[in-house]
Amino acid sequence: MRLRFHHFLLSTVAALVLNTGAVAATSAQDAGTALHEVIKSIAPWYQQSQDEAPNEDHLPHVDPATQQKQTAHWLQVQTDLQKIDRNRLTLKERLDYDVLAYQAEVAANRDKFRSYEQPVNADTSFWSELNDSAGQPFSSLKEYRSYLSRLNDMPRYFDEQIDNMKSGLARGFTPPQIVLEGRDQGLKAVTEASDVQATPFWGPFKNMPDNIPAAEQKKLKTEAAAIIQDKVVPAYKKALDFFDNDYIPNARKELGADRMKDGKDYYQAQIYEFTTTRMSPEEIHKLGLKEVASLHKEMMQSMKASGFKGTFPEFLNFLRTDPQFYAKTPDDLLHYAAWIAKEYDGVAGRYFGFLPRSRFTIHPVPESEAPFYTSGRGGPGIYLVNTYKLPSRPLYALPALTLHESAPGHAQQMSLVEEDKELADFRKGYISAYGEGWALYCERLGDEMGLYHTEYDRFGMLSYQIWRAARLVVDTGIHTMGWTREEARKYLHDNSALPDHEIETEVDRYIAWPGQALSYYIGEADIWRLRHKAEKALGDKFNIRAFHDTVLSTGSVPLSSLDDAVDTFIKNGGKGPHPETE
């Protein structure tokens, strides 16, 4: 799962009221020119989106008035795009069109269902995202000044988020109460800190750069201490009081999204956001059952190849309980993750022609979030490994996890997007079906790359595959078929080798975040389908490096757009975007 640092772009940033209608295409206009004009007209909005991101001097505006402006903006974008003949565009223009159309529909749906009124779930929250980014290093006085301004803005930002949560609470639009218990740890990491230097927000002041004079460093630290004490801590205390005493006690009791008002339509919109398809819950559920059955056969073959003589449930229990499969210390787990990452570096050139310049580091998940966090997360420059409760972090699953979260998964794919100067700003967002589909594809690719050295490692990869296929069953079961928390847990327990603690945190994530878990397997299946299509069409001309570079060069796109890109790749005789390195 990619690192969810700041998802403000579509859902929580302020939007300008843009007169995009003035540049919409007429039937006589060239389609490419018309699209360029629409993109040009939204540039100021995206610039404001960047200005409101937490790397600048203030936090986002998330009040209802801002949300209404955003709704008007995206509806106008949709109207303008409908006037353009997509078939007359080049491949690059079609990808631009598709991504913009997807973003517009998703944003319009988020505003329609007022998703901003639920900025917290079992997995993340608006305050945990601030905590996560607080320790980032700065290199200039300007960056430190901007950071202090953001800290000063925290009371306003928290008040707007709390007001939105109150509105959601009043209409029953909350995560289920059962998955919110204990999710206040990120707040307590600030409110219960022994002093300001023990809060996450002191992180940038621990090691300041030498290019800032000592006197200025002292001044900045003094200001920071006062702001954290007088602004940040009170904001967190107010949020903690509301969350524990009002929000959790009055949150909805039912698990399924379909139990909320307009819940069926909301869940269908979630399916589109996270899969970019119009599949129904019933279709997804049936697909999941089919794929689970197929993967179970592979797992049985792997179990037999390992030499284990017992039954499948006995093998799962063996994997979950035998000490040989678990690290003894957090450092042991981190060191093994680093070893796996370096092993990939040794074979990367055989499978990719073009690699990002940026590298990634490996850190443990922050202690305040670790009990409810996933096993790991990755993104540009970082791979987080959860070292909490080591008996729930199996080593046989670590190779697959590392390939997914670091490279060639999220850390590699997202870094390529960041470094691509040809992609417009609006193309640098994240589309889950593509991003998670690619990362899960990388797990299976690890078998081809020779990175699973034991049958236990390979079984761990297959367990991760069936886990994602089972999500298709579990997510739709919870949100449209009345499945209980216990039913969902049992299904994962019986079909995968996931430890029970991870199953518990995962199921709670599916309950609180409808549809997101559908991204992975649906996206991966599409990438494999396209690869097999290209291999069949190109025969001896198929080049795996060129294929991978083609998929990665698109950036995050809807799955139908990936079809378009691979079809063009085939028509061009298998020539990739970087022929000099492929």
Side-chain angles (χ1 to χ4, degrees), residues 239-499:
L240 178 64
D241 178 67
F242 167 71
F243 189 65
D244 282 353
N245 298 319
D246 292 314
Y247 197 73
I248 293 178
N250 295 296
R252 65 185 174 96
K253 308 301 187 294
E254 300 88 355
L255 300 189
D258 62 340
R259 303 302 297 272
M260 298 187 293
K261 182 181 179 182
D262 299 322
K264 291 183 179 179
D265 291 340
Y266 169 71
Y267 187 61
Q268 191 64 56
Q270 293 289 100
I271 288 175
Y272 176 72
E273 175 174 351
F274 291 113
T275 72
T276 73
T277 74
R278 308 290 181 184
M279 294 177 72
S280 69
E282 294 78 17
E283 289 172 324
I284 293 172
H285 194 83
K286 289 178 181 177
L287 174 64
L289 291 172
K290 175 174 174 279
E291 293 302 309
V292 165
S294 176
L295 285 163
H296 181 75
K297 292 178 182 178
E298 277 195 82
M299 294 172 78
M300 289 297 293
Q301 293 170 355
S302 179
M303 182 188 78
K304 291 176 182 177
S306 76
F308 189 80
K309 303 301 183 185
T311 64
F312 187 76
E314 288 171 344
F315 187 54
L316 295 184
N317 184 63
F318 166 64
L319 292 174
R320 288 178 175 130
T321 58
D322 195 296
Q324 69 175 300
F325 299 121
Y326 297 90
K328 292 180 173 57
T329 70
D331 279 350
D332 287 344
L333 190 67
L334 294 169
H335 292 165
Y336 186 38
W339 177 268
I340 295 164
K342 287 307 296 179
E343 279 199 299
Y344 162 71
D345 281 351
V347 299
R350 301 181 205 166
Y351 295 88
F352 300 90
F354 190 78
L355 295 167
R357 288 181 58 82
S358 62
R359 313 310 299 150
F360 62 88
T361 187
I362 300 176
H363 287 301
V365 173
E367 290 183 8
S368 64
E369 298 177 45
F372 307 108
Y373 211 76
T374 52
S375 289
R377 291 195 189 169
I382 192 165
Y383 168 29
L384 290 176
V385 178
N386 199 333
T387 58
Y388 171 81
K389 205 170 185 179
L390 289 175
S392 66
R393 313 297 170 196
L395 298 177
Y396 56 78
L398 195 59
L401 177 70
T402 300
L403 295 176
H404 183 115
E405 302 296 349
S406 62
H410 291 316
Q412 178 172 313
Q413 182 267 317
M414 296 172 74
S415 292
L416 285 169
V417 169
E418 283 196 347
E419 295 173 12
D420 190 342
K421 294 180 171 54
E422 298 297 317
L423 287 180
D425 287 344
F426 78 92
R427 289 288 306 280
K428 297 195 174 186
Y430 189 80
I431 296 178
S432 196
Y434 172 93
E436 300 299 347
W438 170 257
L440 185 53
Y441 168 87
C442 291
E443 294 182 26
R444 175 75 84 161
L445 184 66
D447 201 15
E448 186 177 334
M449 292 190 291
L451 297 179
Y452 299 117
H453 301 305
T454 70
E455 202 57 50
Y456 300 126
D457 291 344
R458 188 169 186 277
F459 190 91
M461 178 273 292
L462 292 172
S463 177
Y464 265 33
Q465 293 285 316
I466 204 170
W467 165 30
R468 277 41 169 263
R471 286 174 169 180
L472 306 183
V473 179
V474 170
D475 199 89
T476 52
I478 291 169
H479 294 295
T480 66
M481 300 176 184
W483 276 37
T484 66
R485 193 189 199 189
E486 290 68 31
E487 285 177 299
R489 287 177 174 177
K490 186 176 188 303
Y491 191 80
L492 287 178
H493 182 275
D494 292 349
N495 285 289
S496 76
L498 290 181

